[in-house]
Amino acid sequence: MRKAGPGERAVAERDPGTQLDGRARVSQVPRPAACDAFLHYRTSKVRALRAARLERLVRELVSGDRAQDPGFVPAFLATHRAFVPTARVLALLLPPPPPPLPPGVEIKKTEGRDLSFNQNLRAVVSVLGSWLRDHPQDFRDPPAHSDLSSVRTFLGWAAPLGAEAREAEKLLGQLLEEAEHAQEEEAQPQARAGPPGAAQTPCAGCPEGCSQEEEGLVQEGPELLDFGVDEVAEQLTLLDVELFSRVRPCECLGSVWSQRDRPGAAGVAPTVRATVTQFNTVTGCVLGSVLGPPGLAAPQRAQRLEKWIRIAQRCRELRNFSSLRAILSALQSNPIYRLKRSWGAVSREPLSTFRKLSQIFSDENNHLSCREILSQEEATEGPQEEDTPLGSLPSKLPPGPVPYLGTFLTDLIMLDTALPDMLEGDLINFEKRRKEWEILARIQQLQRRCRSYCLSPHPPVLAALRAQRQLSEEQSYHVSRVIEPPAASCPSSPRVRRRISLTKRLSAKLSREKGSSPGGSPGDPSSPTSSLSPGSPPSSPRSKDPPPGSPPASPGPQVPSTKLPLSPDLPGPRPLALSLSGPCIPLLGQQGSEARVIRVSIDNDHGNLYRSILLTSQDKAPSVVQRALQKHNVAQPWAHDYQLFQVLPGDRELLIPDNANVFYAMSPAAPGDFMLRRKGGARHTNSVSPT
């Protein structure tokens, strides 16, 4: 090892099986104002782990230099579940207890070895303290909670009187209390039968679109729209704040959230699923209340539209982007959007408000407006008090904002798709985990901001929300056609665009990396800079309103679906493209490109479960099959037993020959959906060969 030069830190020798990222940290030395023509710089090297084996990463938790790489420990603790279970990390992290000493022998603390051992103990205790405080759900393993028991045993002899030991005991008590509470709820009979709105759901024997309200069974008590605009918006914000504050950031990881559709995975990411349910509930309330009884006149239905537009505006003032997005999605859905006569009776001012709110989630320029507005809301600060501790949130910050969680879920899905989990030499790609941690840290920052909301529950409004009639996709479209038959729609009505697939949207996001501004750092989701397509104009609100007699121009996707969950699998707000390393990925079907994102499923009895992978112009069929099996958690030695097919329209398939270049053998005009099937498997489909 060479000696460090003047103004330069010493560089340690590189461990085998480790990739380090050397970054230069430059600081300017203060200079007199008269010497503007001369500058003096001091450069210090900063080392950060980019990839390593698991043992080396765990060792870095204890022996790493926090000053050199302050983000390593929080990034590891937040993302480790994506590549290793908690029990495995604890097995490598916790040292064994020292052997019992013979009677009468005292511990000598003056030897260098004992001093070093005590330093390592303090480092391990510090890591466990951060782990217990920031990610307590990692230790949930009912009924025994064996991981937490291991931590308690270690802290019992390493730091029995420390705050970490008290935190472990407190966490164990909370987990046991939650288990007892869950058992009591299971033992008690359910007070309500079904989810909110189930009482108004038509029975299985009723014809399609036939609801209880149409048959004369009117909901008891006040309806949701009978309450004031402020009351409804505040209660929606209260629910969104509570659910968003409970979201566990680790459940938003692409590798975790993508497992939600697997058989037996109903319990995966429960806190994220709760936000999805609330989002769908709000969307269903808008649909059910606006469509309402088919006998309502157009002016009466227009009043309901105006009421929901005012509620959406109030949600915007409360900085609640989740319910705002849900309300706009329902108003832009086809069953409501096609009601030409109802929209024609809406006043000009509410129509103008609706257009301005819709521009927030406009799909132009890859939803640039939504991301910029959220960044501006986060940057809003109040006056800093003198006694506020350094690094803490100012006490006078405005509450919120409550974000649309689907934006972050899509970011993390895209990261998980575009970047590999492992690098050459069986090294864990920790640079990918750092990028994921940047997004998770932003979620945690927003959760802390949401604690400053001061809203009180209003039981009558919450009861009306639960009792609001919910319509399925088929029922809502049927009721809409009863209200205004298709013949009543004029040719100038907005056309319904087809559903945008996940593959197309991921490809679109990644394809715009070429035009990204150099001002944003790679993988920085908080950067307001966008990745714009060449020649695309910036998003701007409409300067002139169309006549009141025509439906408002909707910038969002218009689909006949009434359920718009916070999932990248359905149309919704798309975040900006992250500046990821790798080839530029074009839109699907674009010729002359070097890469694209495809979706691959396995022909089995577990349903059509797709996994997205990055396909480049150099990939042959065996490598694509191997990577797809790895995404599906199938043993890779079986790769030679599978064959790759491209799914074509009309129930047809395109057989990709072995050792063929998949990028050039596939049909560029068809969607990028593929299927893996065992060789020799029988299936009654029309297969075609590439020509």
Side-chain angles (χ1 to χ4, degrees):
M1 180 191 304
R2 68 176 179 86
K3 295 184 178 180
E8 181 178 346
R9 297 185 183 181
V11 180
E13 295 182 358
R14 175 177 174 178
D15 293 342
T18 304
Q19 293 185 7
L20 298 175
D21 185 12
R23 303 167 184 169
R25 184 183 294 169
V26 181
S27 58
Q28 181 178 341
V29 178
R31 51 183 172 77
C35 301
D36 293 341
F38 301 95
L39 298 176
H40 298 276
Y41 293 94
R42 182 184 62 207
T43 302
S44 59
K45 293 185 178 180
V46 178
R47 292 162 57 89
L49 273 178
R50 299 184 57 189
R53 293 186 175 88
L54 177 61
E55 293 78 8
R56 179 66 178 85
L57 293 176
V58 175
R59 190 164 70 250
E60 185 73 11
L61 291 174
V62 179
S63 60
D65 188 352
R66 299 284 183 93
Q68 282 278 315
D69 191 5
F72 177 81
V73 173
F76 182 92
L77 296 180
T79 62
H80 77 278
R81 296 179 63 181
F83 56 91
V84 62
T86 300
R88 175 63 176 159
V89 177
L90 292 176
L92 296 173
L93 179 65
L94 301 181
L101 297 176
V105 179
E106 297 181 357
I107 302 177
K108 297 181 180 180
K109 300 183 179 180
T110 58
E111 297 182 3
R113 181 177 179 182
D114 293 335
L115 181 61
S116 175
F117 180 72
N118 291 335
Q119 291 177 349
N120 289 336
L121 281 184
R122 286 194 295 269
V124 173
V125 170
S126 176
V127 171
L128 290 178
S130 301
W131 201 345
L132 292 168
R133 181 178 60 256
D134 299 336
H135 308 281
Q137 298 301 326
D138 290 349
F139 301 95
R140 179 190 296 273
D141 185 21
H145 304 291
S146 57
D147 295 337
L148 185 57
S149 299
S150 301
V151 173
R152 292 174 59 245
T153 301
F154 167 76
L155 294 176
W157 63 266
L161 302 179
E164 296 79 7
R166 295 192 297 270
E167 188 72 24
E169 296 295 336
K170 178 181 176 182
L171 177 58
L172 179 61
Q174 293 176 352
L175 295 178
L176 295 178
E177 183 179 355
E178 291 177 2
E180 294 178 359
H181 184 65
Q183 292 178 356
E184 293 177 357
E185 289 185 349
E186 292 179 358
Q188 295 177 356
Q190 295 185 353
R192 296 195 310 266
Q200 288 75 33
T201 303
C203 58
C206 296
E208 180 181 1
C210 176
S211 63
Q212 294 180 359
E213 188 170 330
E214 294 178 73
E215 296 180 353
L217 297 179
V218 183
Q219 170 184 329
E220 296 181 359
E223 294 185 0
L224 186 60
L225 291 185
D226 293 338
F227 297 93
V229 171
D230 291 346
E231 291 179 305
V232 176
E234 289 177 1
Q235 294 307 299
L236 292 178
T237 303
L238 175 64
L239 294 175
D240 290 332
V241 168
E242 291 179 353
L243 293 174
F244 178 67
S245 300
R246 297 173 187 172
V247 168
R248 303 165 192 159
C250 63
E251 295 180 3
C252 300
L253 290 172
S255 58
V256 177
W257 179 238
S258 60
Q259 306 293 322
R260 65 192 182 280
D261 295 327
R262 287 198 166 211
V268 173
T271 60
V272 179
R273 289 178 185 268
T275 61
V276 172
T277 302
Q278 172 63 15
F279 186 92
N280 292 337
T281 300
V282 176
T283 305
C285 287
V286 178
L287 283 165
S289 60
V290 170
L291 295 177
L296 283 179
Q300 294 174 312
R301 209 173 305 278
Q303 292 178 0
R304 300 193 174 201
L305 290 173
E306 294 178 1
K307 186 73 170 284
W308 277 114
I309 292 174
R310 292 196 298 269
I311 294 174
Q313 174 63 24
R314 181 54 182 159
C315 287
R316 174 63 183 90
E317 296 171 357
L318 291 171
R319 296 151 57 93
N320 180 6
F321 291 92
S322 181
S323 287
L324 172 62
R325 179 69 180 100
I327 296 173
L328 295 178
S329 297
L331 296 178
Q332 294 169 356
S333 64
N334 194 50
I336 293 180
Y337 197 73
R338 63 176 297 276
L339 301 178
K340 176 178 176 294
R341 291 195 296 267
S342 299
W343 282 107
V346 176
S347 304
R348 181 180 295 271
E349 182 178 355
L351 278 180
S352 178
T353 302
F354 175 67
R355 294 189 188 95
K356 292 178 181 178
L357 293 176
S358 297
Q359 285 296 327
I360 297 177
F361 301 100
S362 172
D363 57 359
E364 295 179 1
N365 298 332
N366 209 4
H367 292 277
L368 171 63
S369 178
C370 174
R371 185 57 64 89
E372 284 186 336
I373 290 176
L374 184 60
S375 298
Q376 293 171 3
E377 294 290 340
E378 288 184 78
T380 303
E381 295 184 359
Q384 179 76 37
E385 297 182 356
E386 297 181 357
D387 56 349
T388 302
L390 183 63
S392 61
L393 289 175
S395 59
K396 295 185 180 180
L397 279 177
V402 183
Y404 171 68
L405 191 59
T407 300
F408 299 105
L409 295 177
T410 309
D411 281 348
L412 293 166
I413 286 286
M414 183 180 64
L415 272 176
D416 186 60
T417 301
L419 299 181
D421 295 333
M422 306 295 294
L423 300 180
E424 185 179 358
D426 294 333
L427 302 182
I428 298 174
N429 185 6
F430 197 74
E431 192 67 18
K432 172 181 179 178
R433 307 306 167 188
R434 291 181 189 274
K435 294 179 182 296
E436 292 177 333
W437 160 242
E438 291 173 357
I439 301 177
L440 299 183
R442 189 181 179 194
I443 294 177
Q444 291 182 340
Q445 176 70 12
L446 289 170
Q447 288 177 324
R448 288 191 289 269
R449 294 282 294 267
C450 286
R451 297 174 186 170
S452 56
Y453 275 102
C454 297
L455 300 173
S456 301
H458 191 39
V461 179
L462 298 177
L465 178 65
R466 289 192 297 265
Q468 178 62 50
R469 181 174 62 136
Q470 301 284 317
L471 297 177
S472 66
E473 179 177 340
E474 294 78 10
Q475 294 163 1
S476 60
Y477 195 70
H478 172 81
V479 174
S480 177
R481 290 169 65 92
V482 171
I483 296 172
E484 292 189 20
S489 299
C490 66
S492 61
S493 296
R495 298 178 58 187
V496 180
R497 292 185 287 183
R498 294 183 177 180
R499 184 187 302 270
I500 304 174
S501 65
L502 170 64
T503 307
K504 290 186 178 181
R505 290 189 282 110
L506 287 180
S507 299
K509 283 193 290 289
L510 293 178
S511 66
R512 293 181 173 87
E513 294 176 13
K514 184 182 299 183
S516 60
S517 171
S521 60
D524 184 7
S526 62
S527 177
T529 58
S530 65
S531 301
L532 306 179
S533 300
S536 57
S539 174
S540 61
R542 300 177 184 271
S543 58
K544 182 181 292 185
D545 295 340
S550 61
S554 171
Q558 306 158 15
V559 294
S561 173
T562 65
K563 296 302 181 183
L564 301 173
L566 298 175
S567 167
D569 294 334
L570 292 181
R574 299 190 294 275
L576 300 180
L578 299 181
S579 301
L580 305 177
S581 59
C584 181
I585 305 176
L587 293 169
L588 287 176
Q590 183 176 353
Q591 299 294 336
S593 303
E594 297 180 355
R596 64 188 296 181
V597 175
I598 64 173
R599 302 194 310 167
V600 185
S601 65
I602 298 182
D603 188 10
N604 52 29
D605 298 331
H606 301 303
N608 293 329
L609 183 63
Y610 283 95
R611 288 289 176 262
S612 300
I613 63 174
L614 181 64
L615 177 67
T616 67
S617 59
Q618 306 298 325
D619 288 335
K620 299 293 185 69
S623 64
V624 174
V625 172
Q626 184 176 6
R627 287 159 51 201
L629 292 177
Q630 182 181 4
K631 281 283 186 178
H632 284 274
N633 296 325
V634 178
Q636 299 181 24
W638 300 96
H640 61 276
D641 293 337
Y642 285 87
Q643 213 160 17
L644 186 64
F645 293 84
Q646 184 182 9
V647 180
L648 302 178
D651 198 22
R652 297 184 304 154
E653 294 177 346
L654 175 64
L655 172 61
I656 305 297
D658 295 339
N659 297 325
N661 189 307
V662 180
F663 186 83
Y664 296 105
M666 64 183 295
S667 173
D673 294 339
F674 289 78
M675 178 176 293
L676 291 177
R677 185 178 299 119
R678 284 186 176 273
K679 295 180 180 179
R683 178 177 170 85
H684 300 288
T685 53
N686 299 325
S687 298
V688 296
S689 299
T691 57

